[in-house]
Amino acid sequence: LSHSNIIHAKELLGITSSNYGGTTGLTVNPASIENYPLKWEVNILALDLFVDNNYAYMPNQSLLKLLRTANQTGIEFTESSFAYTSDAIKNKAAYFQFKLQVPSVLLTFDEHRVAFSTTFRTITSANRINYTLPKLIKGEFVLELNNTAIEVPKFRINAMTWAEFGLSYGSTFYKTRD
């Protein structure tokens, strides 16, 4: 039985790491504001939500498809919306990340750029989750809460929440055509 893992070097790819990333690019690369081509940017609100696990997933689904059907019927998730990974992987893992960026400003003065940003972040990860716990969440066990003992083996969960207040400065010292 073989098993492989996917490792993501960076999340938030796309416009975040481009020249137009502005204040949202500060988290990934603080020097990214150096090539920002516009005179100013005011970012009122930015949200990022990322969830990953090796237990359940939604096959053949995309965000655009969900949004298109939401306009017609609303978004509704049922038991049949999800597929579950193999029971052979007994230890499950989950990861959750939430980022809220509130008013941030970037200003350009000739070859100088100054940015101020405020961000709130939460990251939670759990691993070595025995298969008993995901089965409980899925509802595979019908339990009477009175006089019922459920033993869930030890697992690890870590969480952090913090605020970031950033002041960034970027300037070009030497520039060539290349």
Side-chain angles (χ1 to χ4, degrees), residues 41-87:
E41 173 194 272
V42 175
N43 184 348
I44 296 171
L45 178 70
L47 290 171
D48 172 39
L49 177 65
F50 178 78
V51 178
D52 188 22
N53 72 82
N54 66 348
Y55 176 64
Y57 63 96
M58 298 177 70
N60 302 320
Q61 198 61 262
S62 73
L63 183 59
L64 293 175
K65 186 177 176 182
L66 277 173
L67 292 175
R68 269 190 239 124
T69 57
N71 290 336
Q72 300 160 0
T73 61
I75 295 178
E76 183 178 322
F77 298 113
T78 62
E79 182 68 25
S80 62
S81 303
F82 296 93
Y84 297 91
T85 57
S86 166
D87 289 355

Side-chain angles (χ1 to χ4, degrees), residues 85-98:
T85 57
S86 166
D87 289 355
I89 305 170
K90 294 296 181 193
N91 290 318
K92 303 299 181 182
Y95 178 83
F96 169 80
Q97 174 181 305
F98 175 76

Side-chain angles (χ1 to χ4, degrees), residues 19 24 52 82 117:
N19 289 351
T24 31
D52 188 22
F82 296 93
S117 63

Side-chain angles (χ1 to χ4, degrees), residues 1 5 13 18 26 34 45 54 56 81-82 86 96-97 112 132-133 137 147 151 162 176-177:
L1 179 68
N5 289 319
L13 298 178
S18 76
L26 290 171
E34 175 46 32
L45 178 70
N54 66 348
S81 303
F82 296 93
S86 166
F96 169 80
Q97 174 181 305
H112 306 279
T132 305
L133 191 58
I137 294 168
N147 300 322
E151 187 173 324
W162 70 96
T176 65
R177 275 187 331 146

